[in-house]
Amino acid sequence: MKLTQALKMAAKSISGNKGRSALTMLGVIIGLAAVIILVSYAQGQNLAMEKYYESMGENKLTVYAYAYNNDVDLAEELSNYCQQISDCVAGITPNEYVWDVNIQYGVQSLGQSNNSYGVSIGGGVYVTDSYNTRPQFYLANDQFGLCNNYTLAKGRELSYMDIKRLNHVCVLGAATADTLFGMVDPVGKEVTVNGLPFTVIGVYAPKGNGTTEYNENGDNWQEVEMSRMDRIVVFPYTLTRIFNGNQSISDFTVKAKDSKSAKEAATLIRAFLSGLVDMENGNGYADVYNEGVYREEENEANKLQQYFLGGIAAISLIVGGVGIMNIMLVTVTERTREIGIRKAIGAERGSIITQFLIEAAMICGIGGILGIIVGYLGTLIVGKLAFKIVLIPGVGITVGAFAISVALGIIFGIYPAAKASRLQPVDALRAD
Amino acid sequence: MLIDIKNVYKIYNEGQESEVRALDGVSLRIDRGEFVAIIGASGSGKSTLMNILGCLDVPTYGDYSLDGTDVTELSDRELARIRNKEIGFIFQGYNLISALNAYENVELPLIYRGVSILKREDMVMEALEKVKMADRAQHKPSEMSGGQQQRVAIARAIAAKPPIIMADEPTGALDSRTGKHVLEILHTLHEEAGTTIILITHDNSIAATAHRIVRISDGRIVADSMNDADLQYSVAHEGGAGA
Ligand SMILES: Nc1ncnc2c1ncn2[C@@H]1O[C@H](COP(=O)(O)OP(=O)(O)OP(=O)(O)O)[C@@H](O)[C@H]1O
Ligand SMILES: [Mg+2]
């Protein structure tokens, strides 16, 4: 019997018994979709973690440097040097955290004082400060947003001229703007900072990274949707006289081009600073921290979780496989009789097995494709609900799960054919 | 000799308490062009014998030579070829494939035989017309009465015009009028194409239309005799003329 004939016969058999075909397909669809969704959920957790690090500034270098030698303007020097190595550095900003600041608009007032120290960006998931208070105040330059992954919602960033001219301007984080101004547009409004008039020139878009934070309010834990990262105020770093007791800037954030160049940039900047700061004689200190290092440590800690998720994938694959197997075996009696008839009217074993093989491949192929579609849709929904991200199953798991469930379907699909075609026709016809 | 079985036994559960000797030493020779009726009570071993003759089953003991070939020596592939080309089998229980309609069921042996699609269409429709089922060609077995399924099964057996037709109670599910019609078809094939017909029945009046009547009881042949010619014609052709 020719292959085209076997193909036609298989197609007829599928369309001739739509109920059975649909049921078999359903087995493949459920098995495959379950595996894809479960494994993608696991991968989504890692992805959410990645996103978190990304929002934290994955390619961020933290530079801590000071020199007692007042001839050196570290901020200026570092800034100039980073422009020279622009093939691995995308931006640099002073990132000086300052205390004892109070900002006021009308009756609304927000403050941060020395005794509430202990809050830092990205320090932890659970914070005990209310989001209505304690914004974090930074001295920075025009590249603060770039280096810390903030985007502007309104107005503009600090400018080079703001820095040069020591302009009394500030850029607000989304939460700070919300608390101080409510529905009012803050851009261009005058606020009072430590008694001095300042103009709000811009507002950053909320960075809300999706992790839910809690704060303690009396006895109740309240959900706070907005990220702590949005409770910030940024001033020109040259205003140290107002905010920093005229201390020089010692904290900087460098944004590397990508995670690869981060290491190179760290090495270069470290070398540059050691030439600038006389550490050996105790006349200063300089170091560069690569945030990517923490990430690697986190990944190590995640390994156990990875094994756990691998186990889930294996179990769901087995569950899906058993489902496919069951549905295939349920129809064995009926199919054995059919094989008896086919043998009795002159079908050879080979053509029976070929037909069943094609039939199983068609059903499992179509079921597999539908299963992938269902799995993708399910994964998108799970990703949206669980992680608030667009989660798409990996190619590896999709191809792997498809191959395994189709293989299982085919194996259990031709199993009755292979077995029954060995029987005498009467024995196959008597099957029950 | 077309069919030659010698000392054939079919024993189920041999050696156990539940042992059944469905065939208990049967020897039978049938020549090309014969019209043989096998008659016997229910459970006497008619179907068992027919299944062995049709190469659908193997005897526990005994020899079977079909057209000079020792069937017990044949491979699965060669047996399939014989079932496909030499024998048209009409089962007691119809045995149609439920997923296929009448047309497709009748077409199936022709496909396995490798008949081209155009020829198939003619052959299938001719066979369906013979059993007066052409108007039901697109119906599935589940949409047909028992008698209609029986007729489609007959069409499947005769479509390829095999040299031997074996029919296990082909009229069992039919009213006497349709039953007579089916008998007529078999007789026509026998007369016009020289088809060898082996017909199982427990109905004496149907057996009476055959040329030869083999009586079987408890797995043994108890009588084997040529039939009175006049009676054959009168029943098969409702008193009409015959060869
Ligand atoms: N698979 C089997 N296992 C055990 N006994 C069997 C089996 N098949 C048939 N038999 C027995 O063999 C005997 C002959 O059965 P067979 O089907 O040949 O009878 P039959 O003459 O065709 O009867 P009917 O007229 O009712 O169709 C019966 O006693 C039956 O019970
Ligand atoms: Mg019987």
Side-chain angles (χ1 to χ4, degrees):
Chain A
M1 193 175 58
K2 285 190 227 95
L3 196 67
T4 48
Q5 206 56 260
L7 269 167
K8 270 187 212 162
M9 218 172 255
K12 243 181 228 168
S13 185
I14 291 171
S15 64
N17 203 326
K18 295 195 177 67
R20 185 179 68 203
S21 307
L23 214 64
T24 313
M25 265 181 218
L26 198 67
V28 178
I29 291 169
I30 290 172
L32 185 51
V35 173
I36 289 180
I37 292 170
L38 273 169
V39 173
S40 298
Y41 174 81
Q43 289 176 341
Q45 273 191 326
N46 292 337
L47 208 67
M49 198 65 91
E50 300 246 330
K51 278 242 155 190
Y52 176 73
Y53 283 114
E54 201 180 290
S55 72
M56 297 285 297
E58 187 191 345
N59 311 325
K60 227 159 76 171
L61 303 180
T62 302
V63 178
Y64 179 62
Y66 60 85
Y68 295 132
N69 177 358
N70 279 336
D71 295 345
V72 182
D73 183 348
L74 276 176
E76 189 76 22
E77 297 277 357
L78 254 180
S79 191
N80 288 341
Y81 179 67
C82 283
Q83 267 170 16
Q84 283 172 40
I85 55 169
S86 62
D87 52 331
C88 61
V89 170
I92 176 166
T93 179
N95 215 80
E96 194 76 9
Y97 187 82
V98 287
W99 293 275
D100 290 326
V101 181
N102 187 280
I103 184 166
Q104 206 175 333
Y105 176 73
V107 292
Q108 287 289 353
S109 165
L110 294 175
Q112 170 77 300
S113 73
N114 218 349
N115 50 23
S116 62
Y117 174 79
V119 181
S120 66
I121 284 189
V125 179
Y126 298 101
V127 293
T128 52
D129 58 329
S130 159
Y131 109 95
N132 285 322
T133 57
R134 298 184 199 170
Q136 300 171 69
F137 298 92
Y138 290 98
L139 300 183
N141 67 12
D142 51 322
Q143 294 181 336
F144 179 86
L146 172 73
C147 293
N148 290 298
N149 289 358
Y150 286 95
T151 50
L152 276 171
K154 279 174 191 155
R156 61 172 180 87
E157 293 260 17
L158 297 174
S159 72
Y160 182 69
M161 293 314 284
D162 291 330
I163 313 290
K164 274 277 158 229
R165 292 185 173 158
L166 282 62
N167 285 343
H168 284 196
V169 293
C170 62
V171 180
L172 305 181
T176 315
D178 188 49
T179 321
L180 275 182
F181 289 92
M183 303 296 286
V184 179
D185 182 359
V187 177
K189 296 284 181 310
E190 192 144 295
V191 291
T192 311
V193 178
N194 289 4
L196 298 168
F198 269 69
T199 307
V200 178
I201 56 168
V203 179
Y204 287 122
K207 218 171 136 174
N209 62 358
T211 32
T212 306
E213 295 181 13
Y214 296 90
N215 81 20
E216 201 176 60
N217 189 355
D219 290 333
N220 299 320
W221 286 91
Q222 274 183 348
E223 248 185 51
V224 180
E225 287 293 336
M226 228 173 234
S227 165
R228 244 162 20 87
M229 295 177 199
D230 294 324
R231 299 194 296 271
I232 58 164
V233 182
V234 183
F235 301 105
Y237 79 88
T238 41
L239 294 175
T240 47
R241 218 159 284 172
I242 299 173
F243 296 113
N244 213 19
N246 214 9
Q247 296 276 307
S248 63
I249 302 287
S250 57
D251 284 317
F252 302 89
T253 296
V254 173
K255 170 125 171 164
K257 271 260 154 67
D258 48 54
S259 49
K260 262 194 207 156
S261 44
K263 266 185 191 154
E264 190 193 344
T267 315
L268 286 171
I269 292 168
R270 203 173 281 128
F272 173 73
L273 285 172
S274 68
L276 214 58
V277 178
D278 180 19
M279 277 198 278
E280 275 169 26
N281 299 317
N283 287 330
Y285 181 81
D287 204 355
V288 181
Y289 307 95
N290 188 345
E291 305 241 340
V293 173
Y294 301 121
R295 196 176 154 234
E296 275 163 26
E297 283 168 8
E298 277 285 346
N299 280 352
E300 280 295 314
N302 273 356
K303 228 165 211 168
L304 202 70
Q305 199 193 0
Q306 294 273 2
Y307 289 135
F308 175 68
L309 298 171
I312 286 182
I315 289 167
S316 59
L317 209 54
I318 290 168
V319 169
V322 168
I324 293 169
M325 185 177 79
N326 264 352
I327 294 203
M328 287 297 197
L329 292 184
V330 158
T331 60
V332 158
T333 302
E334 190 189 341
R335 306 245 60 183
T336 302
R337 266 198 213 105
E338 181 189 331
I339 287 165
I341 298 171
R342 287 181 184 272
K343 279 201 82 167
I345 60 174
E348 286 172 20
R349 271 196 73 195
S351 57
I352 289 173
I353 291 174
T354 308
Q355 180 210 324
F356 272 65
L357 180 71
I358 293 171
E359 204 178 314
M362 278 178 170
I363 287 184
C364 295
I366 295 169
I369 289 164
L370 293 176
I372 288 178
I373 293 172
V374 172
Y376 268 60
L377 291 177
T379 302
L380 279 174
I381 293 168
V382 165
K384 204 90 223 138
L385 293 181
F387 310 116
K388 291 177 186 145
I389 57 170
V390 179
L391 186 59
I392 292 170
V395 175
I397 182 61
T398 306
V399 172
F402 179 85
I404 289 175
S405 49
V406 169
L408 280 175
I410 289 174
I411 287 167
F412 292 110
I414 61 168
Y415 165 77
K419 209 174 150 210
S421 65
R422 254 191 218 103
L423 296 172
Q424 291 295 332
V426 268
D427 293 326
L429 284 169
R430 248 196 303 258
D432 52 11
Chain B
M1 195 54 55
L2 182 64
I3 287 169
D4 188 359
I5 60 168
K6 264 195 213 103
N7 273 323
V8 162
Y9 290 82
K10 184 71 188 182
I11 306 169
Y12 294 107
N13 311 325
E14 191 174 12
Q16 296 173 26
E17 221 166 301
S18 57
E19 179 178 293
V20 177
R21 292 182 168 234
L23 292 180
D24 197 8
V26 172
S27 297
L28 182 66
R29 290 155 73 99
I30 297 172
D31 237 335
R32 200 175 291 279
E34 277 196 86
F35 193 126
V36 184
I38 295 175
I39 191 164
S42 177
S44 56
K46 304 184 295 292
S47 294
T48 308
L49 176 61
M50 187 72 108
N51 289 335
I52 288 171
L53 293 180
C55 300
L56 303 177
D57 204 357
V58 286
T60 314
Y61 307 110
D63 301 320
Y64 178 14
S65 120
L66 178 64
D67 210 2
T69 325
D70 185 356
V71 169
T72 51
E73 299 278 286
L74 294 180
S75 70
D76 182 79
R77 178 178 282 239
E78 287 162 326
L79 282 173
R81 226 186 69 92
I82 287 178
R83 288 193 288 262
N84 185 237
K85 296 212 160 156
E86 307 298 326
I87 304 168
F89 209 99
I90 303 167
F91 297 92
Q92 191 168 12
Y94 328 139
N95 279 336
L96 299 173
I97 292 177
S98 57
L100 303 180
N101 63 30
Y103 183 97
E104 292 162 343
N105 266 290
V106 176
E107 188 187 25
L108 209 51
L110 302 176
I111 292 175
Y112 287 125
R113 186 183 271 220
V115 179
S116 76
I117 188 158
L118 283 174
K119 272 196 196 157
R120 284 208 304 265
E121 194 171 344
D122 288 343
M123 291 165 90
V124 171
M125 287 321 290
E126 192 193 325
L128 282 173
E129 266 154 25
K130 266 190 188 154
V131 295
K132 298 203 168 76
M133 284 296 290
D135 55 332
R136 296 297 177 109
Q138 303 306 320
H139 287 231
K140 294 233 174 121
S142 58
E143 301 158 348
M144 290 185 273
S145 74
Q148 287 171 330
Q149 290 182 58
Q150 178 83 284
R151 284 188 275 161
V152 173
I154 293 165
R156 181 177 63 187
I158 65 174
K161 301 196 172 72
I164 310 168
I165 285 180
M166 299 185 182
D168 194 349
E169 304 267 14
T171 57
L174 304 179
D175 61 273
S176 64
R177 221 178 92 87
T178 324
K180 253 178 202 151
H181 173 69
V182 166
L183 267 181
E184 253 174 69
I185 293 169
L186 294 178
H187 276 284
T188 311
L189 281 170
H190 174 243
E191 278 152 33
E192 288 176 1
T195 310
T196 307
I197 310 273
I198 302 171
L199 171 70
I200 283 184
T201 182
H202 56 254
D203 184 333
N204 282 317
S205 73
I206 289 171
T209 70
H211 294 173
R212 178 179 163 193
I213 299 174
V214 174
R215 193 167 290 275
I216 185 168
S217 173
D218 287 334
R220 291 166 196 267
I221 291 177
V222 292
D224 184 348
S225 60
M226 296 313 283
N227 192 20
D228 179 75
D230 290 334
L231 186 62
Q232 293 167 26
Y233 296 134
S234 69
V235 179
H237 297 270
E238 292 178 291

